Amino acid sequence: MLLAACVSATALADGIKPVSSGAEYAGEHIELSARFQLSLNATLEDALANGLTLPFTYEFQLTRPRLYSWYRQAMDSFNPTASLTYRLSYHALSRQYRLNFGNFYRSFASVDEALSALGVVRGWNVLHDTGIAKDKDPFSGRIRLRLDISQLPKPFQLSTLGQNDWKLESGWVDVNGEVAQ
């Protein structure tokens, strides 16, 4: 009975949990910041240790003002969403975990350090050159962090279908931008 309780507590600990989120107006864009707590289950840790790179994606969606978003989409291909992808990998030769963003990377001695760094985003520029950012209009949005299975190699995408071990996401977290008065 005690073993079952420990296993279920460990299963609940795996995943992505939101800690905080915020937004600031900066020039002609909005800067988002968020913090998530991440932990990997045994399946994902094994895949990482065996050379699979895990892509994690931050996603932002503008939720208010809806009319502005709809109008701008129709008029000039405005996109009320944004995404940012990081890739987590393990290099067996150096015994280091590597977190890549584009051409930039950081190395970490442990998976916990890498996951801690992955769970923090600061100064993420969204809604660049929009009336919301320029006029500092109040807005609402939401942000999440998830393991992006669609960026895995095709054989892994097929093998993950219907398996909860590969589903890792935080759920949406609200972000509000209000002008301080």
Side-chain angles (χ1 to χ4, degrees):
M1 181 70 172
L2 180 60
L3 180 60
C6 290
V7 170
S8 65
T10 304
L12 292 174
D14 296 333
I16 304 175
K17 294 169 186 57
V19 176
S20 63
S21 65
E24 292 182 7
Y25 296 95
E28 298 196 357
H29 63 272
I30 294 170
E31 291 185 355
L32 295 180
S33 61
R35 182 177 298 270
F36 294 89
Q37 184 178 8
L38 286 89
S39 60
L40 299 179
N41 59 40
T43 302
L44 294 175
E45 282 191 24
D46 287 344
L48 187 61
N50 288 316
L52 183 66
T53 298
L54 299 177
F56 287 89
T57 301
Y58 281 96
E59 295 176 329
F60 169 77
Q61 288 183 346
L62 179 67
T63 57
R64 193 190 91 216
R66 291 180 199 265
L67 185 58
Y68 174 85
S69 176
W70 176 82
Y71 174 76
R72 286 286 311 271
Q73 276 182 298
M75 296 306 292
D76 55 7
S77 302
F78 167 74
N79 190 357
T81 64
S83 65
L84 191 65
T85 300
Y86 289 87
R87 299 184 183 287
L88 178 63
S89 59
Y90 177 70
H91 292 267
L93 188 59
S94 64
R95 295 185 180 153
Q96 297 277 312
Y97 291 88
R98 179 180 264 187
L99 190 58
N100 287 43
F101 172 66
N103 292 330
F104 301 103
Y105 70 90
R106 287 179 56 194
S107 295
F108 301 91
S110 72
V111 69
D112 291 334
E113 291 174 8
L115 291 173
S116 180
L118 173 63
V120 177
V121 64
R122 288 189 200 117
W124 179 19
N125 297 340
V126 297
L127 302 177
H128 190 70
D129 287 332
T130 62
I132 297 170
K134 290 177 184 175
D135 299 336
K136 300 192 178 6
D137 290 336
F139 76 95
S140 292
R142 57 189 192 164
I143 187 172
R144 74 174 172 176
L145 176 60
R146 67 183 179 90
L147 175 63
D148 193 352
I149 295 171
S150 69
Q151 294 187 33
L152 291 173
K154 292 293 182 199
F156 282 98
Q157 288 180 29
L158 293 173
S159 67
T160 62
L161 291 175
Q163 294 197 18
N164 288 335
D165 289 349
W166 289 87
K167 184 173 171 113
L168 195 63
E169 67 179 48
S170 66
W172 291 102
V173 179
D174 291 332
V175 178
N176 295 316
E178 301 290 334
V179 177
Q181 305 222 7

